[in-house]
Amino acid sequence: MPHAIIEHSGAGRLTVSDQVLADTVFAAMDVAGLFDSEDIKVRVHPVTASHNGAADYTFVHVDIRIMPGRTSLQKKDCARRVADALHALEGGVSSITVEVNDIDAEVYGKIVV
């Protein structure tokens, strides 16, 4: 924990690779200082189909899921750091969004093998 799930408008539509997106989000979350580096997990999911009113609309959306215990200011700072880091890539993105969500610890399950 935490998990960062990156969705984006698809390969070939952005000028930045999935690995660069993952590395950028990881680094921004690490610098935020809220998590141990070895606990941060980042996954990238290119979206194969989407629809928006703009013909050339591209997006990156990051959903960061964390265990409860951080303040709203800490979560806001983490989201801002991630958004700013992605914006600095100049990867041909029309929209960058980041949300930080607390996981319900009572119903979260994990098995480490």
Side-chain angles (χ1 to χ4, degrees), residues 1-5 29 41-43 63-66 103 108:
M1 197 56 61
H3 297 278
I5 299 110
M29 290 176 66
K41 296 149 188 85
V42 180
R43 298 183 297 277
D63 178 12
I64 300 173
R65 300 175 187 175
I66 65 174
I103 292 173
Y108 176 73

Side-chain angles (χ1 to χ4, degrees), residues 8-18 21 44-48 58-59:
H8 68 79
S9 51
R13 300 207 46 217
L14 302 181
T15 59
V16 62
S17 72
D18 288 353
L21 289 172
V44 180
H45 298 280
V47 173
T48 58
T58 56
F59 68 89

Side-chain angles (χ1 to χ4, degrees), residues 39-94:
D39 293 335
I40 300 170
K41 296 149 188 85
V42 180
R43 298 183 297 277
V44 180
H45 298 280
V47 173
T48 58
S50 63
H51 182 85
N52 183 281
D56 61 350
Y57 178 79
T58 56
F59 68 89
V60 173
H61 173 73
V62 185
D63 178 12
I64 300 173
R65 300 175 187 175
I66 65 174
M67 295 304 273
R70 278 57 174 220
T71 68
S72 292
L73 285 176
Q74 288 173 314
K75 291 186 264 188
K76 182 178 180 177
D77 179 65
C78 181
R80 181 192 53 79
R81 288 174 185 273
V82 170
D84 287 350
L86 289 169
H87 184 255
L89 291 177
E90 299 180 10
V93 180
S94 303

